[in-house]
Amino acid sequence: MLTRIDHIGIACFDLDKTVEFYRATYGFEVFHSEVNEEQGVREAMLRINETSDGGASYLQLLEPTREDSAVGKWLAKNGEGVHHIAFGTEDVDGDAADIREKGVRVLYDEPRTGSMGSRITFLHPKDCHGVLTELVTSRADH
């Protein structure tokens, strides 16, 4: 069962500049940052609030580390902006299977490692009314 909006992913050309905008404009601070080599991104997670299920909601700022990454290709085509929405779930495997049975294409056969050690998969945007959708099971200590 999907429990919350885990994060909204925002693609950007300059991570440091974008982080500074969110810090100066809204007062959001970086909770976590990392480079995900598999996804080809450098990212910063800005915690917005905590949720009743013990998780949190974030803005995820994404800067590609290479042009051929999914975010790099998306930026080249669309420019900066909202890249995806992610829903939190206690069971990414089970929810992905249930959603697949409803005819929605799940992009990964097996969940992959996401931010802060989470387990993730994506749903095809053409099956989700044009929205790239991510399912996330957070690591227990985050």
Side-chain angles (χ1 to χ4, degrees):
M1 171 176 56
L2 306 181
T3 58
R4 63 183 154 48
I5 294 176
D6 184 86
H7 67 271
I8 297 173
I10 300 172
C12 61
F13 291 111
D14 184 329
L15 184 64
D16 297 325
K17 183 178 174 182
T18 307
V19 164
E20 184 51 35
F21 168 81
Y22 281 95
R23 179 181 293 123
T25 305
Y26 306 114
F28 298 151
E29 296 294 333
V30 174
F31 175 77
H32 175 84
S33 61
E34 68 181 82
V35 174
N36 184 319
E37 296 293 343
E38 181 182 6
Q39 300 289 326
V41 296
R42 185 169 79 103
E43 64 180 82
M45 297 293 277
L46 287 66
R47 179 183 262 170
I48 307 306
N49 67 322
E50 295 188 31
T51 61
S52 62
D53 68 354
S57 294
Y58 301 90
L59 288 181
Q60 179 188 45
L61 306 179
L62 300 159
E63 175 189 58
T65 58
R66 56 181 198 270
E67 291 180 12
D68 69 338
S69 70
V71 172
K73 291 176 186 177
W74 190 90
L75 268 171
K77 180 179 178 183
N78 301 292
E80 293 184 308
V82 174
H83 179 262
H84 66 274
I85 186 168
F87 294 109
T89 172
E90 293 180 4
D91 181 12
V92 69
D93 299 272
D95 282 335
D98 290 346
I99 290 169
R100 181 180 278 125
E101 287 179 12
K102 295 174 182 171
V104 175
R105 288 174 282 180
V106 177
L107 298 183
Y108 303 151
D109 290 331
E110 295 292 325
R112 297 182 181 177
T113 302
S115 298
M116 300 182 287
S118 62
R119 298 187 70 240
I120 65 167
T121 195
F122 285 90
L123 309 178
H124 200 292
K126 288 185 179 178
D127 296 343
C128 299
H129 298 272
V131 178
L132 179 61
T133 304
E134 182 179 7
L135 304 180
V136 179
T137 297
S138 299
R139 204 170 77 192
D141 60 348
H142 284 284

